Amino acid sequence: MAPLTPHWSQPSHPSIQQVIIPSDPSDFTTKSISKVTLPPYALFAKLSFPPCAKASEPTYATVQVGRDEHVDLNSDLVYINHSCEPSVIFDTTSLSILAGPHGLKAGDELTFFYPSTEWDMAQGFSCFCRAATCRGFVSGAKNMKPEQLDGMWLNAHIRSLLEERDGVPSTSLSNLTLAPGSSEKGKGLAVNGTKEVENGTAGENDLTEEALKSALDQARKMVDAAQKALDTYKSLHGRSSVDDLAGTGGKGAVRQNGVGSRELSGEMGGDTQVEA
């Protein structure tokens, strides 16, 4: 496969992302390094249009944002590689890139879990992330076992397609992780049922209630993470950290830039975009 040839001006996001390109263009080891430090689940980037654009068909350089929707990132964000223990999350519902559950530090490699967005990849690859949880060959969530997806952030279109594939009622997917490590009960997929649906509507109602409580818990955690990020920003810029989220209406806030990318070096792939 020929190396990716950028059609945009480089560097596209020099303040937040450093792209490291090997001297040998045939050496597919291009990677992205973060230039910013963020707390867990803080907003790293917004995916905006442009520079993002809808793709007519999926390729190794697109990101899947819906059941049948794919986008080109059209920036250096395309060089964010895959990892089985990723540093960022691509949330296609809000068109955002978030720092991972451990936060993000300047100098960290920018990576995300491709099956969290990709159902059936145009070109699979043998992962070399070297993580203890490495999944080996990666070609999309469609071709992965439930245990390989356990505990990972999965976007809504991926969860829906997994439900169809495995014939599991939505009420039995209450343990599906919305944010990595944030659920006290059964992280990850309950495809084979960590808690089976009981006979009758009572069991189904119990599971639905659990799912709603879990979703509310995730939302609270996301708000807490956003508040911490705001407090950190205020403290760094000499502003009061006791203002509530609605207090200032965002005056004086720094515009968020983003990065998200992937290069399929026969083994890696990715993309994302930032707010212009």
Side-chain angles (χ1 to χ4, degrees):
M1 187 194 83
L4 177 66
T5 301
H7 54 271
W8 55 88
S9 298
Q10 292 185 288
S12 64
H13 304 93
S15 65
I16 49 118
Q17 172 191 16
Q18 178 185 5
V19 177
I20 299 177
I21 300 176
S23 56
D24 181 358
S26 65
D27 180 6
F28 293 98
T29 57
T30 302
K31 61 182 179 180
S32 289
I33 304 299
S34 175
K35 286 190 173 183
V36 296
T37 297
L38 295 171
Y41 306 117
L43 178 66
F44 180 66
K46 290 292 293 181
L47 305 183
S48 58
F49 295 77
C52 286
K54 289 186 177 181
S56 58
E57 60 182 6
T59 71
Y60 73 89
T62 60
V63 169
Q64 186 172 354
V65 297
R67 177 181 290 260
D68 299 304
E69 297 177 278
H70 305 262
V71 298
D72 285 307
L73 299 176
N74 297 326
S75 77
D76 287 347
L77 300 177
V78 76
Y79 296 113
I80 293 182
N81 288 327
H82 163 86
S83 175
C84 295
E85 293 186 5
S87 61
V88 298
I89 294 165
F90 277 42
D91 181 5
T92 61
T93 299
S94 64
L95 292 178
S96 302
I97 305 171
L98 309 175
H102 303 297
L104 191 63
K105 295 179 180 178
D108 287 350
E109 182 177 359
L110 297 165
T111 59
F112 79 102
F113 187 63
Y114 286 2
S116 69
T117 62
E118 309 305 307
W119 176 243
D120 191 10
M121 293 174 60
Q123 187 169 347
F125 60 93
S126 296
C127 179
F128 53 83
C129 70
R130 299 184 179 87
T133 57
C134 184
R135 273 67 170 184
F137 190 78
V138 176
S139 58
K142 176 183 179 180
N143 304 309
M144 302 188 84
K145 298 177 181 179
E147 55 266 27
Q148 292 179 295
L149 299 171
D150 185 59
M152 302 304 296
W153 173 292
L154 301 176
N155 283 285
H157 63 279
I158 296 297
R159 297 198 303 269
S160 177
L161 288 164
L162 285 168
E163 180 179 335
E164 292 178 11
R165 183 194 72 179
D166 298 308
V168 180
S170 58
T171 52
S172 65
L173 289 176
S174 59
N175 291 324
L176 199 59
T177 303
L178 298 182
S182 62
S183 175
E184 293 297 327
K185 293 185 178 181
K187 293 192 300 181
L189 277 172
V191 171
N192 292 320
T194 56
K195 177 176 181 180
E196 295 181 357
V197 178
E198 302 169 16
N199 291 330
T201 57
E204 292 180 0
N205 290 338
D206 288 345
L207 286 170
T208 301
E209 182 178 350
E210 285 186 19
L212 292 172
K213 287 181 178 179
S214 177
L216 181 60
D217 182 57
Q218 311 305 333
R220 285 171 175 162
K221 290 179 184 292
M222 291 294 289
V223 170
D224 288 344
Q227 181 67 66
K228 289 178 182 178
L230 178 60
D231 290 345
T232 299
Y233 170 77
K234 288 178 179 178
S235 65
L236 290 174
H237 292 77
R239 297 175 58 191
S240 171
S241 62
V242 297
D243 295 337
D244 61 32
L245 285 173
T248 63
K251 292 182 179 179
V254 171
R255 181 175 62 180
Q256 293 289 341
N257 288 321
V259 336
S261 109
R262 48 178 164 171
E263 179 201 24
L264 186 72
S265 50
E267 306 183 313
M268 306 298 261
D271 7 35
T272 297
Q273 187 50 46
V274 268
E275 195 170 26

Tab-separated table of all heavy atoms in Angstrom, residues 14 17 27 33 67 100-101 108 113 134 148 156 163 172 213 217 233 251-252 267 269-270 273:
chain	number	residue	atom	x	y	z
A	14	PRO	N	-0.286	22.581	14.902
A	14	PRO	CA	1.003	22.583	15.588
A	14	PRO	C	0.938	22.879	17.074
A	14	PRO	O	1.851	22.519	17.811
A	14	PRO	CB	1.789	23.672	14.844
A	14	PRO	CG	0.741	24.575	14.284
A	14	PRO	CD	-0.392	23.673	13.909
A	17	GLN	N	-0.626	19.138	18.537
A	17	GLN	CA	-0.250	17.831	17.996
A	17	GLN	C	1.089	17.913	17.268
A	17	GLN	O	1.334	18.825	16.492
A	17	GLN	CB	-1.330	17.352	17.011
A	17	GLN	CG	-0.989	16.101	16.242
A	17	GLN	CD	-1.969	15.845	15.112
A	17	GLN	OE1	-2.720	16.738	14.721
A	17	GLN	NE2	-1.970	14.646	14.572
A	27	ASP	N	8.263	3.384	5.319
A	27	ASP	CA	8.219	2.864	6.680
A	27	ASP	C	6.956	3.403	7.354
A	27	ASP	O	6.869	4.565	7.707
A	27	ASP	CB	9.466	3.314	7.444
A	27	ASP	CG	9.481	2.798	8.872
A	27	ASP	OD1	8.595	2.002	9.234
A	27	ASP	OD2	10.389	3.204	9.625
A	33	ILE	N	1.882	12.860	18.607
A	33	ILE	CA	2.185	13.079	20.016
A	33	ILE	C	1.380	14.277	20.512
A	33	ILE	O	1.285	15.306	19.840
A	33	ILE	CB	3.692	13.342	20.215
A	33	ILE	CG1	4.519	12.199	19.636
A	33	ILE	CG2	3.998	13.554	21.693
A	33	ILE	CD1	4.270	10.849	20.274
A	67	ARG	N	-24.060	4.281	11.402
A	67	ARG	CA	-24.226	2.954	10.808
A	67	ARG	C	-23.719	2.894	9.367
A	67	ARG	O	-23.040	1.937	8.988
A	67	ARG	CB	-25.708	2.569	10.861
A	67	ARG	CG	-26.044	1.225	10.216
A	67	ARG	CD	-27.529	0.970	10.314
A	67	ARG	NE	-27.894	0.701	11.700
A	67	ARG	CZ	-28.085	-0.534	12.192
A	67	ARG	NH1	-27.928	-1.585	11.428
A	67	ARG	NH2	-28.418	-0.699	13.448
A	100	GLY	N	-8.715	10.062	27.460
A	100	GLY	CA	-9.091	8.742	27.964
A	100	GLY	C	-9.274	8.718	29.470
A	100	GLY	O	-9.152	9.747	30.145
A	101	PRO	N	-9.570	7.544	30.028
A	101	PRO	CA	-9.866	7.422	31.462
A	101	PRO	C	-8.699	7.766	32.365
A	101	PRO	O	-8.885	8.011	33.554
A	101	PRO	CB	-10.275	5.950	31.614
A	101	PRO	CG	-9.639	5.264	30.460
A	101	PRO	CD	-9.678	6.251	29.336
A	108	ASP	N	2.402	12.189	25.444
A	108	ASP	CA	1.734	10.906	25.219
A	108	ASP	C	1.444	10.720	23.730
A	108	ASP	O	1.099	11.686	23.036
A	108	ASP	CB	0.406	10.832	25.969
A	108	ASP	CG	0.569	10.662	27.465
A	108	ASP	OD1	1.707	10.411	27.915
A	108	ASP	OD2	-0.443	10.806	28.185
A	113	PHE	N	-9.099	3.376	20.019
A	113	PHE	CA	-9.457	1.982	19.763
A	113	PHE	C	-10.335	1.945	18.524
A	113	PHE	O	-11.510	2.304	18.567
A	113	PHE	CB	-10.199	1.426	20.986
A	113	PHE	CG	-10.493	-0.045	20.929
A	113	PHE	CD1	-9.477	-0.984	20.879
A	113	PHE	CD2	-11.818	-0.506	20.954
A	113	PHE	CE1	-9.750	-2.346	20.853
A	113	PHE	CE2	-12.097	-1.862	20.925
A	113	PHE	CZ	-11.061	-2.780	20.875
A	134	CYS	N	-3.510	-6.592	24.021
A	134	CYS	CA	-3.525	-6.466	22.566
A	134	CYS	C	-4.447	-7.504	21.934
A	134	CYS	O	-4.403	-8.688	22.270
A	134	CYS	CB	-2.111	-6.609	22.002
A	134	CYS	SG	-2.022	-6.363	20.208
A	148	GLN	N	-13.403	-9.489	23.692
A	148	GLN	CA	-12.389	-8.589	23.159
A	148	GLN	C	-12.825	-7.126	23.234
A	148	GLN	O	-11.991	-6.224	23.131
A	148	GLN	CB	-12.064	-8.946	21.710
A	148	GLN	CG	-11.357	-10.283	21.527
A	148	GLN	CD	-11.079	-10.581	20.072
A	148	GLN	OE1	-11.999	-10.749	19.271
A	148	GLN	NE2	-9.806	-10.640	19.727
A	156	ALA	N	-22.505	4.400	19.791
A	156	ALA	CA	-23.882	3.898	19.709
A	156	ALA	C	-24.106	3.027	18.480
A	156	ALA	O	-24.786	1.996	18.565
A	156	ALA	CB	-24.860	5.074	19.713
A	163	GLU	N	-25.610	-5.686	18.830
A	163	GLU	CA	-26.875	-6.229	19.312
A	163	GLU	C	-27.563	-7.027	18.211
A	163	GLU	O	-28.088	-8.123	18.454
A	163	GLU	CB	-27.772	-5.091	19.786
A	163	GLU	CG	-29.129	-5.546	20.310
A	163	GLU	CD	-29.972	-4.379	20.784
A	163	GLU	OE1	-29.401	-3.337	21.147
A	163	GLU	OE2	-31.211	-4.516	20.783
A	172	SER	N	-30.625	-6.320	27.711
A	172	SER	CA	-29.549	-7.129	28.274
A	172	SER	C	-28.180	-6.550	27.964
A	172	SER	O	-27.164	-7.165	28.246
A	172	SER	CB	-29.617	-8.561	27.732
A	172	SER	OG	-29.369	-8.578	26.345
A	213	LYS	N	-30.072	3.860	35.061
A	213	LYS	CA	-29.251	4.329	36.171
A	213	LYS	C	-27.786	4.421	35.757
A	213	LYS	O	-27.074	5.351	36.143
A	213	LYS	CB	-29.388	3.372	37.358
A	213	LYS	CG	-30.727	3.483	38.085
A	213	LYS	CD	-30.788	2.516	39.267
A	213	LYS	CE	-32.089	2.654	40.030
A	213	LYS	NZ	-32.161	1.685	41.161
A	217	ASP	N	-25.424	7.684	35.670
A	217	ASP	CA	-24.131	7.688	36.349
A	217	ASP	C	-23.026	8.166	35.411
A	217	ASP	O	-22.159	8.953	35.797
A	217	ASP	CB	-23.807	6.273	36.857
A	217	ASP	CG	-22.488	6.220	37.607
A	217	ASP	OD1	-22.330	6.963	38.588
A	217	ASP	OD2	-21.621	5.419	37.208
A	233	TYR	N	-8.374	24.923	34.152
A	233	TYR	CA	-8.101	26.029	33.233
A	233	TYR	C	-8.140	27.368	33.973
A	233	TYR	O	-7.268	28.223	33.811
A	233	TYR	CB	-9.117	26.037	32.095
A	233	TYR	CG	-9.040	27.290	31.246
A	233	TYR	CD1	-8.032	27.444	30.304
A	233	TYR	CD2	-9.952	28.322	31.435
A	233	TYR	CE1	-7.943	28.599	29.554
A	233	TYR	CE2	-9.855	29.480	30.689
A	233	TYR	CZ	-8.856	29.618	29.745
A	233	TYR	OH	-8.765	30.759	29.019
A	251	LYS	N	-17.021	33.269	28.635
A	251	LYS	CA	-16.218	34.415	28.253
A	251	LYS	C	-14.757	34.169	28.584
A	251	LYS	O	-14.419	33.688	29.655
A	251	LYS	CB	-16.709	35.664	28.987
A	251	LYS	CG	-18.089	36.127	28.535
A	251	LYS	CD	-18.493	37.396	29.251
A	251	LYS	CE	-19.860	37.869	28.787
A	251	LYS	NZ	-20.273	39.098	29.504
A	252	GLY	N	-13.913	34.501	27.641
A	252	GLY	CA	-12.488	34.357	27.871
A	252	GLY	C	-11.973	32.952	27.694
A	252	GLY	O	-10.819	32.684	27.950
A	267	GLU	N	-1.051	-1.551	9.072
A	267	GLU	CA	-1.261	-1.985	10.439
A	267	GLU	C	-1.939	-0.913	11.254
A	267	GLU	O	-2.482	-1.190	12.313
A	267	GLU	CB	0.073	-2.331	11.102
A	267	GLU	CG	0.832	-3.326	10.292
A	267	GLU	CD	2.111	-3.733	10.973
A	267	GLU	OE1	2.830	-2.861	11.443
A	267	GLU	OE2	2.371	-4.918	11.035
A	269	GLY	N	-4.362	2.874	11.295
A	269	GLY	CA	-5.267	3.667	10.502
A	269	GLY	C	-5.953	4.631	11.413
A	269	GLY	O	-6.004	4.402	12.582
A	270	GLY	N	-6.520	5.735	10.891
A	270	GLY	CA	-7.256	6.585	11.782
A	270	GLY	C	-7.517	7.950	11.217
A	270	GLY	O	-6.906	8.362	10.280
A	273	GLN	N	-10.973	15.156	13.469
A	273	GLN	CA	-10.779	16.521	13.052
A	273	GLN	C	-10.961	17.474	14.195
A	273	GLN	O	-11.561	17.185	15.190
A	273	GLN	CB	-11.779	16.889	11.955
A	273	GLN	CG	-11.523	18.219	11.374
A	273	GLN	CD	-10.106	18.381	10.984
A	273	GLN	OE1	-9.549	17.501	10.363
A	273	GLN	NE2	-9.486	19.457	11.373
